[in-house]
Each structure stands twice: as structure tokens, then as C-alpha cells.
């Protein structure tokens, strides 16, 4: 069984919605937010699920952060299925 991939937005600069550079990921179970301090040479990427909360710190790249979000999303969806 395959879980649909998160639909990621483009990268946004800091704005009224988030004080840091960020991307949003849309899912049927709520959005994910990945944020980072874009002005740093080696930023740390944070993942947050808007509905369920929870953070994962110290991810080294945006791709790593997106992969972590997808992993958490997939685990959540699969935990709802009884085989």
C-alpha cells in the first residue's frame, strides 16, 4: 500500500505567517510546515505538523526535512489501517 506524497509549496521568505524561510506541505490530515533561518550559512530545518504538532530538529537539509515529514505522515496514515 502506498501513501500519497505530500504536496509541497514553493519556498517562502519570512512573512506574517512564519518568521523564517519556510515551505508548507498539504495533506488530507492537515499541513506540515518546514522552517529554517535562511540567513545562516548552515541552517537547521524544523518540521512541524500543524494539526498534531511535534518538531524534529537538527535536520541538515530541506530534502531531509521533507523526507522526515513524509515518513511521519506515512506512519500516521498507516497506523489508521487495520489489516
Amino acid at each position: 500500500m502506498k501513501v500519497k506524497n505530500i504536496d509541497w509549496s514553493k519556498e517562502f521568505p519570512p512573512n506574517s505567517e512564519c518568521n523564517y524561510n519556510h515551505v508548507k506541505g498539504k495533506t488530507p490530515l492537515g499541513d506540515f510546515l518546514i522552517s529554517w533561518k535562511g540567513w545562516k550559512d548552515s541552517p537547521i530545518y524544523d518540521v512541524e505538523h500543524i494539526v498534531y504538532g511535534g518538531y524534529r530538529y537538527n535536520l541538515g537539509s530541506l530534502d531531509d526535512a521533507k523526507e522526515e515529514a513524509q515518513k511521519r505522515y506515512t506512519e500516521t496514515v498507516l497506523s489508521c489501517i487495520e489489516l
Side-chain angles (χ1 to χ4, degrees):
M1 179 175 298
K2 179 158 172 32
V3 174
K4 182 179 175 183
N5 288 334
I6 297 172
D7 183 23
W8 292 104
S9 70
K10 66 176 185 164
E11 293 183 26
F12 295 103
N15 59 31
S16 61
E17 187 176 0
C18 180
N19 293 330
Y20 304 108
N21 294 66
H22 60 284
V23 295
K24 290 176 68 177
K26 298 262 183 211
T27 79
L29 300 179
D31 294 346
F32 279 88
L33 176 71
I34 298 174
S35 60
W36 65 96
K37 296 175 181 172
W39 61 88
K40 291 194 169 196
D41 290 336
S42 298
I44 294 171
Y45 295 80
D46 299 331
V47 177
E48 176 184 6
H49 190 275
I50 304 300
V51 175
Y52 298 109
Y55 291 88
R56 178 74 176 215
Y57 297 102
N58 298 322
L59 294 162
S61 72
L62 182 56
D63 286 338
D64 289 346
K66 286 180 178 180
E67 185 176 310
E68 180 66 24
Q70 185 67 47
K71 178 181 164 195
R72 287 174 165 235
Y73 173 61
T74 298
E75 288 172 355
T76 300
V77 169
L78 293 179
S79 73
C80 298
I81 299 171
E82 204 173 339
L83 298 174

